[in-house]
Amino acid sequence: MTNPISVPLFGGNLIRLTPLDHEKDPEVIAGWTHHAEYVRMTSLEPLRPLTTAQIKKQFEQIDKEMEEGRRLFHYAIRPRDEDRLIGEARLEWVEWSNGTAQLKIGLPDPADRRRGIGSDVLRLLLRFAFRELNLYHLEVQLPEYNVPALRFFEKHGFKLEVRRRQAVNRGGQRWDLISMAILRPDWEARNER
Amino acid sequence: MNDDPTADLLRGRLVRLSASSPEDISRLFVGWIHNSEYWRLMSNGPPFPWTQEGVRKHIEKEAEKEDLRNVFFAVRTLQEDRIIGEIGLDGISYARGESYVGVGIGEAEYWGKGYGTDAMNVILRYAFTELNLHRVSLTVFEYNPRAIRSYEKCGFRMEGRAREAFQREGRRWDMLHLGVLREEWQAHHA
């Protein structure tokens, strides 16, 4: 029997989760902030293109938050055998006394979607959250127009919990903001580790 | 609804919302949260032994921002002009037209008498007719039926339930999410 401690937490079949690279990653991410469709699908903040220098500053803020609060785990997503950055994944707003957190995954290149990469990232994040951080309730927040993401999380066992009516205002239209969540016992029962 | 733009926007039937000195509110707050029931109705985090000095510094730091992303008021009784609680809008997004709201009556002898409901009605009027927000959101714990009734009286509707979202006294509890849209609030007060 293999020792469960040997199971790699950060290496998937297609990708790996690594720390951010302060030298190389900011330029890539600055490019993503110009990508309107990606920003509007993944963020509630208004689209606002940023420079490489501004992203570098954000990295310092992320490092500071991770170290001081221990309530944030922010990862770069890279192909298993390459160094290039293809996305970001994070667990944020960790509440240790309640075992809760919010989860975010971003894969900006459409070519990286529908190929099992997202599933690979989510599998690692959930295993880390439930088997290492010992969390209980993991939530993801999405605008109702991000149908592919809603389907993706539903497929992986997340259930709709909250619908904040008309909480998003984009393209001259109001949209609901959806919260979905997965609980540890439900995840354990799914056996997707 | 009062359409007079010069009306006293921050005055209700029992309370008014006002500024308060960091000195006063920090002293009161430290007293209120000594009552663990108050903390456990207000926050799902562990009670933190805030010192008055710590609270005062925190409030002063927040006040420096003055960006209207968080708007905090003391709740004062009209009758005695006594500060009995706190209310505030936080995490306001003007782009989305949404804010969260939180209210707490710290002085326990004023619980269950309509002071919190009155303060909530006043801050909703402020949120919808002065800040021009589109909706106001809040969360409340399933073990706080008095607050849920109060919010529903103000026009809030249930929008969902985060299942077993926090843990206390050896069991897990749901977190309820409520929201009110401006048009619902207008109809509610017509």
Side-chain angles (χ1 to χ4, degrees), chain B residues 52-124:
Chain B
Q52 190 187 338
E53 184 65 6
V55 177
R56 194 180 54 75
K57 278 191 182 148
H58 182 78
I59 291 169
E60 283 169 355
K61 211 172 119 198
E62 286 298 307
E64 273 170 26
K65 292 183 191 159
E66 282 190 355
D67 57 1
L68 276 188
R69 298 277 286 195
N70 302 286
V71 185
F72 172 88
F73 299 101
V75 178
R76 271 177 210 270
T77 61
L78 292 179
Q79 202 159 25
E80 307 114 316
D81 198 34
R82 175 179 176 194
I83 298 179
I84 58 165
E86 45 183 338
I87 192 164
L89 300 167
D90 66 286
I92 301 172
S93 165
Y94 292 97
R96 293 188 294 106
E98 185 188 33
S99 176
Y100 270 89
V101 67
V103 59
I105 302 300
E107 301 295 341
E109 71 261 35
Y110 289 83
W111 288 1
K113 295 175 180 166
Y115 289 90
T117 306
D118 194 41
M120 181 63 82
N121 279 325
V122 174
I123 207 166
L124 287 179

Side-chain angles (χ1 to χ4, degrees), chain B residues 32-189:
Chain B
W32 296 338
I33 63 171
H34 183 66
N35 177 359
S36 57
E37 186 181 359
Y38 181 64
W39 183 289
R40 286 167 133 193
L41 294 172
M42 293 292 291
S43 167
N44 65 340
F48 183 78
W50 279 104
T51 63
Q52 190 187 338
E53 184 65 6
V55 177
R56 194 180 54 75
K57 278 191 182 148
H58 182 78
I59 291 169
E60 283 169 355
K61 211 172 119 198
E62 286 298 307
E64 273 170 26
K65 292 183 191 159
E66 282 190 355
D67 57 1
L68 276 188
R69 298 277 286 195
N70 302 286
V71 185
F72 172 88
F73 299 101
V75 178
R76 271 177 210 270
T77 61
L78 292 179
Q79 202 159 25
E80 307 114 316
D81 198 34
R82 175 179 176 194
I83 298 179
I84 58 165
E86 45 183 338
I87 192 164
L89 300 167
D90 66 286
I92 301 172
S93 165
Y94 292 97
R96 293 188 294 106
E98 185 188 33
S99 176
Y100 270 89
V101 67
V103 59
I105 302 300
E107 301 295 341
E109 71 261 35
Y110 289 83
W111 288 1
K113 295 175 180 166
Y115 289 90
T117 306
D118 194 41
M120 181 63 82
N121 279 325
V122 174
I123 207 166
L124 287 179
R125 185 171 60 200
Y126 176 79
F128 288 130
T129 70
E130 182 71 8
L131 301 184
N132 301 321
L133 298 180
H134 182 71
R135 57 167 283 136
V136 175
S137 311
L138 62 80
T139 56
V140 58
F141 312 144
E142 66 166 310
Y143 56 62
N144 193 355
R146 188 175 55 220
I148 297 166
R149 272 198 305 277
S150 162
Y151 301 146
E152 285 174 341
K153 256 190 246 169
C154 298
F156 282 89
R157 294 190 191 178
M158 202 68 72
E159 294 188 317
R161 165 185 292 264
R163 299 158 297 155
E164 303 179 45
F166 65 106
Q167 183 161 340
R168 248 177 195 147
E169 291 294 331
R171 59 160 285 190
R172 301 198 68 89
W173 303 87
D174 293 351
M175 173 104 81
L176 311 185
H177 289 249
L178 283 75
V180 58
L181 308 183
R182 179 166 51 201
E183 68 240 32
E184 291 171 350
W185 173 81
Q186 276 164 342
H188 191 77
H189 286 263

Side-chain angles (χ1 to χ4, degrees), chain A residues 11-138:
Chain A
N13 301 320
L14 304 169
I15 55 89
R16 52 205 174 94
L17 302 180
T18 81
L20 293 168
D21 181 332
H22 282 245
E23 293 308 309
K24 292 179 191 150
D25 292 344
E27 192 181 346
V28 181
I29 294 177
W32 296 345
T33 66
H34 293 68
H35 188 339
E37 192 228 344
Y38 174 63
V39 171
R40 291 171 122 190
M41 282 296 201
T42 53
S43 171
L44 296 179
E45 294 294 315
L47 174 69
R48 184 174 164 237
L50 297 174
T51 65
T52 301
Q54 285 171 313
I55 299 290
K56 273 194 176 168
K57 271 235 160 95
Q58 284 189 355
F59 275 26
E60 283 163 26
Q61 203 53 42
I62 289 169
D63 274 353
K64 190 166 167 251
E65 212 182 314
M66 285 202 290
E67 285 165 27
E68 288 177 2
R70 302 281 166 179
R71 298 184 59 195
L72 169 65
F73 297 82
H74 189 118
Y75 299 97
I77 303 170
R78 304 183 201 280
R80 209 179 65 165
D81 305 314
E82 293 173 68
D83 280 335
R84 73 194 165 87
L85 180 71
I86 61 167
E88 291 176 281
R90 62 195 250 151
L91 295 168
E92 59 187 21
W93 304 106
V94 176
E95 284 180 17
W96 295 109
S97 66
N98 294 316
T100 60
Q102 291 207 20
L103 172 157
K104 275 190 184 150
I105 297 174
L107 286 169
D109 187 347
D112 288 331
R113 294 181 209 145
R114 299 179 175 277
R115 291 180 41 215
I117 294 177
S119 300
D120 211 23
V121 173
L122 183 63
R123 190 174 58 81
L124 291 178
L125 271 187
L126 293 183
R127 199 174 63 195
F128 180 67
F130 290 132
R131 288 290 178 91
E132 179 70 13
L133 302 185
N134 303 319
L135 301 182
Y136 188 87
H137 180 278
L138 278 186

